Amino acid sequence: MFMLPKTNRLIFVATLAIGGLLSGCSGGEERAESPKQEQCETLLGAENVEAAVKATGGSDVEVSGTPQADVLADRLAREAKRWQKSDLLHTPYTACRMSAFEGDRIIGTIDVSVKWSVLSMRMMDTPQISRTWRRVNDSLFLAPEASPARMQLLAVCAVPGAIASQPSDLPLQFEVAAKDLRTELRWDLLSTFARSVVEAMDCTQPPVIPSALPAAA
């Protein structure tokens, strides 16, 4: 059997090792799955996230945002306790942003967010607002297509420690924005997300959020 001299064998092994490292680096150019996707699944439901990603048609997905429900709840509760009627600016919190890629090109984005709304419950009966928002129950209003790509949910949540008018004057506003999703899937994401956040909040009377898309929508 032919044997390389000891020096040549060492050079040969080193060459193979370097080649393996280079090969590993080139393979690393592929986009790795985001570790935050599991947090999205916790907030929005694993089946819903899978269906949403599939609907975008991308070959891979990057995920950002996604604080846990209890983190969102804590931030929202602290904001509500500081709120006064003169405060009109509220912080929007991105819970989950999923960007679908085809190669290096973004072909679809799904944004899920929550904030305290500038709308109040008494505004829901005005002609201008009622054209967009539909009553689901006493604590819930739905804007099924605020634009061709958005669905919004307004929910009453009385936060202990906030001023007395907070439940009616400062409702929660949840939103899903994604042009590639059918209405029913947007609702599945929106309602699951809203329930995840509301369950983590200490609402005096939690809003009733149905799992099925309300018939009025």
Side-chain angles (χ1 to χ4, degrees):
M1 179 181 296
F2 173 74
M3 295 290 291
L4 289 171
K6 183 175 181 180
T7 301
N8 289 345
R9 287 203 305 273
L10 291 174
I11 294 173
F12 180 67
V13 170
T15 302
L16 288 177
I18 293 170
L21 288 172
L22 293 175
S23 175
C25 290
S26 64
E29 291 176 1
E30 296 182 3
R31 204 180 312 277
E33 182 177 330
S34 170
K36 292 187 176 182
Q37 185 163 329
E38 288 185 5
Q39 293 184 43
C40 271
E41 292 172 353
T42 300
L43 283 170
L44 311 177
E47 291 184 3
N48 296 335
V49 170
E50 182 181 355
V53 169
K54 184 177 180 181
T56 63
S59 59
D60 61 272
V61 176
E62 278 190 355
V63 183
S64 60
T66 67
Q68 297 287 2
D70 59 345
V71 175
L72 284 171
D74 180 65
R75 293 175 183 175
L76 290 164
R78 282 190 280 124
E79 190 176 343
K81 291 174 183 177
R82 296 192 303 264
W83 177 78
Q84 298 294 323
K85 284 189 176 183
S86 58
D87 298 337
L88 299 178
L89 296 177
H90 309 304
T91 304
Y93 299 102
T94 298
C96 179
R97 176 176 291 131
M98 295 179 282
S99 299
F101 285 79
E102 193 64 59
D104 292 328
R105 184 171 61 93
I106 296 178
I107 63 170
T109 301
I110 301 165
D111 269 305
V112 182
S113 61
V114 61
K115 65 180 179 180
W116 291 110
S117 183
V118 296
L119 301 173
S120 66
M121 289 297 103
R122 65 177 178 276
M123 292 180 184
M124 295 295 103
D125 294 328
T126 62
Q128 183 179 4
I129 300 297
S130 62
R131 283 197 293 267
T132 301
W133 293 88
R134 304 175 185 177
R135 182 186 294 272
V136 177
N137 53 48
D138 290 341
S139 60
L140 213 64
F141 286 82
L142 174 66
E145 297 294 341
S147 77
R150 295 164 63 206
M151 180 181 281
Q152 297 171 301
L153 191 65
L154 214 65
V156 176
C157 172
V159 176
I163 64 175
S165 64
Q166 178 266 315
S168 59
D169 287 344
L170 190 70
L172 286 167
Q173 184 170 323
F174 300 92
E175 179 177 312
V176 170
K179 66 180 179 62
D180 297 311
L181 306 186
R182 67 185 191 281
T183 300
E184 291 78 10
L185 182 51
R186 282 202 200 107
W187 171 257
D188 290 340
L189 291 167
L190 186 64
S191 61
T192 303
F193 172 52
R195 283 194 298 273
S196 295
V197 174
V198 165
E199 286 172 6
M201 295 186 73
D202 189 20
C203 301
T204 302
Q205 291 183 326
V208 179
I209 305 170
S211 57
L213 180 66

